């Protein structure tokens, strides 16, 4: 089973998850996660453990903050993961773009609160050493307006990395990589 992990202030029902659902059909789930990091990780750990207990292979696809969560979970459970424009220093990245208080959800325009404690809690999921770099593939576009792609290249230097000129934080034309992602997971 593939678990798609969306980014900050997003949803498992967004455009990119829909693209993945269309391609992978019943082989993927795209949960909408809590904006509170500990709750999001807890939900993902529960899902992973249920699938593993059933003897299923689990792979992860994570976009932005979902890439950060994916790296942590891939390291913890020795899973394959594809990271799409991952926010590998999310506390720093989120602090640049958001102040504390109410933040708008990109999917449904609802508001939720981001607190100093929530940002600090992200430190609990920071990966200092990637245990199995061959399990990680990163898709990075240099035109990402939110994340400095050079940070990702440094952190993921021992992993498979595909870097494209241009693009944006959403990762334009992700469809052209679906076959490659599928093959990476096999």
């Amino acid at each position: 089973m593939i678990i798609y992990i969306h980014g900050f202030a997003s949803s498992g029902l967004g455009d990119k998850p829909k693209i993945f659902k269309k391609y992978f059909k019943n082989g993927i789930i795209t949960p909408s996660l809590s904006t509170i990091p500990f709750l999001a990780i807890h939900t993902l750990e529960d899902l992973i453990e249920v699938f593993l207990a059933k003897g299923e292979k689990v792979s992860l696809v994570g976009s932005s903050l979902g890439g950060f969560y994916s790296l942590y979970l891939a390291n913890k459970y020795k899973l394959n993961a594809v990271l799409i424009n991952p926010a590998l220093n999310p506390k720093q990245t989120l602090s640049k773009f958001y102040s504390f208080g109410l933040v708008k959800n990109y999917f449904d325009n609802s508001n939720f609160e981001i607190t100093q404690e929530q940002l600090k809690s992200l430190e609990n999921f920071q990966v200092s050493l990637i245990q199995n770099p061959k399990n990680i593939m990163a898709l990075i576009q240099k035109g990402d307006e939110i994340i400095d792609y050079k940070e990702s290249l440094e952190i993921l230097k021992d992993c498979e990395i595909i870097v494209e000129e241009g693009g944006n934080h959403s990762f334009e034309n992700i469809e052209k990589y679906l076959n490659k992602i599928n093959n990476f997971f096999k």
Side-chain angles (χ1 to χ4, degrees):
M1 179 60 63
I2 300 167
I3 301 173
Y4 177 92
I5 305 172
H6 65 77
F8 180 75
S10 194
S11 162
L13 299 172
D15 292 339
K16 205 171 330 155
K18 285 179 186 173
I19 291 167
F20 277 85
K21 283 285 258 190
K22 184 176 179 184
Y23 181 87
F24 288 103
K25 305 203 183 321
N26 293 329
I28 191 168
I29 59 171
T30 61
S32 293
L33 299 167
S34 173
T35 57
I36 299 168
F38 272 116
L39 294 177
I41 290 291
H42 176 72
T43 298
L44 293 164
E45 288 173 335
D46 279 353
L47 288 169
I48 290 167
E49 289 170 13
V50 165
F51 288 122
L52 291 176
K54 290 178 168 187
E56 290 193 42
K57 179 182 176 191
V58 176
S59 300
L60 308 171
V61 174
S63 179
S64 190
L65 181 61
F68 173 77
Y69 289 160
S70 293
L71 182 60
Y72 168 78
L73 294 164
N75 230 33
K76 180 176 180 176
Y77 293 99
K78 298 176 179 59
L79 306 175
N80 288 343
V82 173
L83 317 179
I84 303 168
N85 283 340
L88 299 178
N89 291 309
K91 184 179 173 195
Q92 175 188 349
T93 302
L94 291 172
S95 295
K96 262 195 298 192
F97 290 95
Y98 297 98
S99 56
F100 301 107
L102 292 181
V103 175
K104 191 173 291 270
N105 182 291
Y106 299 120
F107 176 71
D108 65 3
N109 292 321
S110 62
N111 291 315
F112 64 93
E113 185 177 18
I114 183 170
T115 66
Q116 182 75 34
E117 294 78 23
Q118 289 169 353
L119 279 186
K120 183 154 179 48
S121 74
L122 290 166
E123 294 170 4
N124 294 292
F125 310 114
Q126 194 76 46
V127 172
S128 57
L129 175 66
I130 299 173
Q131 300 293 325
N132 298 295
K134 288 183 173 35
N135 290 359
I136 308 298
M137 179 171 73
L139 302 175
I140 296 171
Q141 289 186 329
K142 289 183 178 181
D144 188 331
E145 65 280 9
I146 294 176
I147 296 165
D148 180 356
Y149 76 92
K150 292 178 203 128
E151 276 183 8
S152 297
L153 295 181
E154 179 58 31
I155 293 168
L156 301 170
K157 64 183 176 266
D158 297 325
C159 304
E160 180 177 346
I161 303 173
I162 297 168
V163 181
E164 282 191 356
E165 295 293 329
N168 59 33
H169 187 60
S170 294
F171 200 97
E172 293 176 349
N173 303 312
I174 189 66
E175 300 90 342
K176 71 182 184 181
Y177 288 102
L178 295 173
N179 285 332
K180 186 161 188 62
I181 291 168
N182 192 32
N183 290 334
F184 180 74
F185 287 154
K186 288 187 178 176

